[in-house]
């Protein structure tokens, strides 16, 4: 990929952000991207060569691919025509692998649906499917043994790319597996069709495959009868787990994989449609890395007209991401990644004086009266006796769910809002007021649109306008600066910190954790206006 070195820095802040999200950055992985380095006048490639493989680090790449799509995915086509289309996408993959190889990349991840596209029927996708032998049963290098199985042209090309680029390669394709009518799960047409991720080693050997379990309205393919829990070994990063797109919201296989404490890295092909204010691709990808203290290598498809963009290489403290709704080009991200990611460190073991807002937060949780001084008098508000002057509660739809909210008015305050069993709290200060409406919202219930899953959410959001009914609308720009603690009495330990600032940029919390039965997120010194700060809890057992 060509580095775009001519544009001034402001364009990059919108399209392509480097975020060094810690004061302890000297201890962290150094992250690199062409556009950032070029914008600062340092050529990325040159910067790399000097220090390809620093001890304790590896070099990873993800490619956000603008795929060439079938003009009519519902039409029946021949295998020959299907291969002609897929080879156009594979040609682009090959160019990216060669570019990455020059930078010393050891593993590259490509997106879901990047080779064949989407919106097929079960019949119309068939010519696009490769036969997939089980890597557990068969040791096979498709590049070196192309004649071994029929209908494996895509696997052969991917295998040869991995071999030629001397890197691990992760890609997604459609696969088929014949089955017998004696198999009770066998579909009527006598074959299984899967949405499949494949992993090749640097010599082109097929290492493993993962068949997507949580399908997102994908009528053309089957979910495997038994969930694949796939962890593969690499010489540079140890154990690496893999799952696909919508899987990120469910227990199996995503959470189950991380029960193996040696898995510190996840590769993640996706074709994710952004949905603000809570589930933009970069939001959930970053939140997953922070929540589990892992590295997360995410490659999304690039189709801005469908709301599809947002890829990155994320670690708990520092991430590199790409979100671009304007360009029609793919984007290669290359980063140096720590083999052992450093987690988000709380302030409890930091030396020095605790800041006043944190001691106030701890006092509130301990049940001490909370006192606020204004021009006339001192208001005290014990946890048991709620403020009579509390702002009005209102209801608004956010993410297709009916949230209960309170407006966030004034330069400082302490708010509570509850629904079902979940209460959310906000303690905040604002250096200056902006002409924007913010609200604190709560939802505790079953989400039922575009998938069914149980969530508990505490969210501080900027509303679309000044009316209460605009809270929950999709916005990307904001100017409001906050220093705050956000917390709730969650009944799950699976909580994802979603944090988005103006221009689709990411922030990392200063601190996260449990305190007195409540999970909290704390942040001061935002670098740009707050769009969303949320704690997104998943209760898998209530799905």
């Amino acid at each position: 990929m060509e580095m775009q070195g001519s544009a001034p820095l402001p364009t990059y802040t919108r399209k392509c952000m480097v975020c060094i999200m810690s004061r302890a950055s000297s201890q962290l992985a150094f992250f690199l991207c062409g556009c950032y380095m070029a914008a600062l006048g340092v050529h990325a490639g040159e910067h790399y060569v000097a220090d390809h493989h620093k001890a304790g680090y590896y070099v990873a790449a993800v490619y956000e691919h603008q795929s060439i799509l079938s003009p009519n995915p519902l039409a029946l086509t021949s295998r020959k025509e299907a291969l002609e289309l897929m080879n156009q996408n594979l040609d682009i993959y090959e160019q990216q692998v060669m570019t990455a190889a020059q930078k010393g990349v050891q593993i590259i991840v490509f997106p879901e649906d990047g080779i064949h596209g989407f919106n097929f029927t079960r019949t119309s996708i068939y010519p696009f499917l490769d036969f997939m032998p089980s890597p557990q049963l068969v040791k096979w290098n498709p590049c070196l043994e192309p004649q071994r199985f029929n209908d494996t042209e895509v696997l052969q090309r991917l295998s040869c790319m991995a071999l030629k680029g001397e890197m691990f390669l992760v890609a997604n394709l459609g696969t088929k597996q014949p089955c017998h009518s004696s198999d009770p799960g066998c579909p009527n047409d006598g074959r299984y069709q899967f949405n499949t991720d494949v992993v090749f080693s640097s010599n082109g050997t097929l290492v493993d495959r993962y068949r997507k379990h949580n399908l997102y309205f994908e009528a053309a393919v089957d979910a495997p009868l038994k969930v694949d829990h796939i962890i593969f070994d690499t010489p540079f990063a140890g154990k690496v787990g893999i799952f696909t797109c919508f899987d990120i919201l469910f227990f199996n296989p995503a959470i189950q994989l991380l029960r193996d404490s040696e898995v510190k890295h996840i590769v993640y092909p996706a074709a994710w449609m952004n949905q603000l204010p809570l589930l933009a691709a970069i939001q959930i990808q970053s939140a997953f890395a922070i929540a589990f203290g892992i590295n997360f290598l995410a490659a999304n498809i690039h189709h801005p007209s469908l709301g599809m963009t947002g890829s990155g290489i994320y670690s708990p403290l520092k991430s590199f991401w790409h979100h671009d709704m304007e360009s029609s080009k793919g984007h290669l991200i290359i980063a140096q990644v720590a083999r052992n990611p450093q987690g988000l460190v709380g302030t409890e073991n930091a030396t020095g004086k605790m800041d006043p807002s944190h001691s106030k937060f701890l006092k509130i949780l301990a049940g001490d009266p909370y006192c606020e001084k204004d021009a006339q008098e001192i208001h005290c508000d014990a946890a048991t006796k709620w403020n009579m002057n509390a702002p009005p509660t209102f209801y608004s739809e956010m993410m297709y769910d009916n949230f209960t909210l309170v407006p966030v008015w004034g330069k400082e305050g302490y708010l509570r809002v509850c629904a079902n069993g979940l209460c959310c709290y906000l303690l905040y200060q604002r250096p200056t007021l902006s002409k924007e409406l913010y609200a604190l919202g709560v939802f505790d219930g079953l989400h039922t649109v575009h998938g069914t899953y149980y969530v508990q959410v505490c969210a501080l959001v900027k509303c679309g306008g000044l009316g209460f009914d605009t809270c929950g609308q999709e916005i990307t720009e904001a100017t409001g600066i906050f220093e705050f603690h956000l917390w709730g009495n969650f009944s799950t330990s699976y909580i994802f910190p979603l944090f988005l600032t103006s221009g689709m940029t990411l922030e990392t919390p200063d601190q996260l954790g449990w305190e007195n039965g409540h999970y909290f997120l704390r942040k001061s010194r935002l670098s740009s206006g707050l769009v969303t700060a949320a704690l997104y809890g998943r209760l898998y057992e209530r799905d």
Side-chain angles (χ1 to χ4, degrees):
M1 190 191 103
E2 289 303 306
M3 303 304 179
Q4 310 148 356
S6 53
L9 194 54
T11 350
Y12 285 107
T13 55
R14 186 167 306 255
K15 293 191 175 178
C16 170
M17 285 297 303
V18 159
C19 191
I20 294 174
M21 305 191 288
S22 163
R23 276 157 286 163
S25 58
S26 59
Q27 302 160 17
L28 305 179
F30 169 73
F31 279 70
L32 167 68
C33 121
C35 64
Y36 172 70
M37 285 300 170
L40 294 184
V42 181
H43 191 265
E46 291 161 21
H47 203 87
Y48 243 146
V49 177
D51 190 11
H52 263 2
H53 301 148
K54 205 162 88 181
Y57 293 84
Y58 65 97
V59 183
V62 301
Y63 183 61
E64 180 162 310
H65 175 50
Q66 165 98 9
S67 53
I68 297 158
L69 297 172
S70 165
N72 184 1
L74 304 178
L76 299 183
T77 183
S78 65
R79 174 70 173 170
K80 183 172 173 285
E81 288 169 321
L83 283 169
E84 280 169 12
L85 177 88
M86 293 192 287
N87 276 320
Q88 292 178 63
N89 287 307
L90 288 163
D91 289 345
I92 299 169
Y93 279 25
E94 193 163 340
Q95 291 162 10
Q96 301 306 320
V97 168
M98 297 294 70
T99 302
Q102 291 165 2
K103 307 278 168 59
V105 165
Q106 291 157 285
I107 184 168
I108 188 166
V109 184
F110 290 100
E112 181 185 24
D113 298 336
I115 297 170
H116 57 280
F118 32 70
N119 295 333
F120 294 95
T121 65
R122 184 170 181 88
T123 312
S124 70
I125 200 172
Y126 184 69
F128 292 85
L129 306 178
D130 265 35
F131 169 70
M132 182 82 215
S134 167
Q136 279 79 28
L137 304 174
V138 178
K139 188 171 166 54
W140 179 42
N141 186 316
C143 188
L144 303 182
E145 308 168 83
Q147 305 308 321
R148 193 163 166 192
F149 302 102
N150 290 334
D151 289 344
T152 54
E153 293 90 339
V154 175
L155 290 169
Q156 289 167 37
R157 280 208 69 181
L158 293 169
S159 166
C160 291
M161 283 179 216
L163 176 63
K164 195 170 162 192
E166 296 180 28
M167 68 184 72
F168 272 67
L169 183 148
V170 178
N172 173 274
L173 72 158
T175 63
K176 60 187 177 185
Q177 189 185 321
C179 53
H180 201 269
S181 53
S182 61
D183 171 356
C186 185
N188 295 336
D189 52 17
R191 60 182 183 262
Y192 289 108
Q193 300 185 170
F194 296 116
N195 174 336
T196 306
D197 298 335
V198 284
V199 182
F200 293 95
S201 73
S202 54
N203 66 10
T205 300
L206 179 62
V207 173
D208 222 325
R209 59 107 164 86
Y210 165 70
R211 297 165 302 177
K212 188 178 180 184
H213 178 62
N214 298 287
L215 300 174
Y216 187 79
F217 304 103
E218 297 168 65
V221 292
D222 305 299
L225 300 177
K226 189 168 160 287
V227 185
D228 291 341
H229 291 104
I230 304 300
I231 296 169
F232 59 94
D233 276 303
T234 65
F236 47 84
K239 290 184 172 185
V240 181
I242 183 168
F243 53 85
T244 310
C245 204
F246 200 39
D247 285 331
I248 200 170
L249 292 178
F250 297 91
F251 187 84
N252 259 319
I255 311 300
Q256 190 66 45
L257 286 178
L258 293 166
R259 294 202 155 173
D260 181 336
S261 60
E262 289 179 30
V263 176
K264 300 275 187 227
H265 315 266
I266 294 287
V267 290
Y268 176 72
W272 186 278
M273 298 172 88
N274 291 305
Q275 199 189 348
L276 290 164
L278 300 180
L279 289 179
I282 60 172
Q283 259 179 315
I284 189 67
Q285 292 163 9
S286 163
F288 200 91
I290 294 168
F292 291 103
I294 58 164
N295 293 320
F296 196 76
L297 282 55
N300 196 10
I301 205 86
H302 187 79
H303 289 290
S305 63
L306 302 172
M308 296 168 116
T309 178
S311 306
I313 296 174
Y314 306 86
S315 76
L317 291 172
K318 179 179 179 183
S319 294
F320 184 77
W321 70 90
H322 175 77
H323 175 104
D324 183 358
M325 288 293 287
E326 291 156 28
S327 162
S328 59
K329 290 194 170 76
H331 188 89
L332 183 68
I333 300 170
I334 298 175
Q336 215 169 55
V337 187
R339 184 180 172 124
N340 289 306
Q342 193 181 349
L344 200 63
V345 182
T347 50
E348 59 279 354
N349 47 13
T351 51
K353 195 163 143 256
M354 189 186 288
D355 77 67
S357 74
H358 198 58
S359 43
K360 193 187 270 186
F361 160 71
L362 293 173
K363 274 184 181 159
I364 291 170
L365 273 186
D368 290 2
Y370 167 71
C371 299
E372 213 175 60
K373 191 174 180 183
D374 69 15
Q376 279 76 38
E377 54 190 316
I378 295 174
H379 304 283
C380 276
D381 179 14
T384 48
K385 177 180 140 297
W386 206 253
N387 187 349
M388 293 292 105
N389 303 327
T393 300
F394 64 96
Y395 301 94
S396 191
E397 190 177 277
M398 177 153 59
M399 308 289 296
Y400 303 103
D401 294 322
N402 190 22
F403 272 71
T404 306
L405 303 103
V406 289
V408 179
W409 289 332
K411 285 186 75 169
E412 59 177 30
Y414 167 41
L415 298 170
R416 177 183 71 169
V417 64
C418 302
N420 286 346
L422 179 65
C423 285
C424 302
Y425 304 83
L426 179 70
L427 179 67
Y428 70 95
Q429 283 181 309
R430 304 185 61 182
T432 52
L433 286 176
S434 56
K435 287 195 174 72
E436 295 165 305
L437 174 63
Y438 281 85
L440 172 67
V442 59
F443 179 76
D444 179 356
L446 194 64
H447 173 88
T448 56
V449 179
H450 302 156
T452 303
Y453 44 93
Y454 199 103
V455 291
Q456 287 188 327
V457 186
C458 291
L460 169 60
V461 293
K462 186 199 149 180
C463 305
L466 296 177
F468 286 171
D469 60 337
T470 67
C471 297
Q473 289 180 359
E474 301 204 15
I475 58 121
T476 58
E477 305 298 324
T479 60
I481 302 292
F482 286 79
E483 298 201 356
F484 65 93
H485 285 74
L486 172 68
W487 71 99
N489 62 333
F490 289 88
S491 42
T492 175
S493 58
Y494 299 106
I495 301 166
F496 300 91
L498 306 173
F499 215 144
L500 200 60
T501 46
S502 195
M504 293 303 293
T505 55
L506 293 171
E507 291 270 354
T508 295
D510 295 341
Q511 194 180 356
L512 281 171
W514 289 95
E515 189 70 57
N516 203 5
H518 292 72
Y519 193 80
F520 75 95
L521 177 160
R522 166 189 178 198
K523 184 67 181 177
S524 54
R525 290 176 297 282
L526 283 176
S527 50
S528 59
L530 182 69
V531 172
T532 305
L535 295 169
Y536 191 87
R538 277 287 285 114
L539 281 79
Y540 303 108
E541 68 282 4
R542 292 197 199 166
D543 290 353

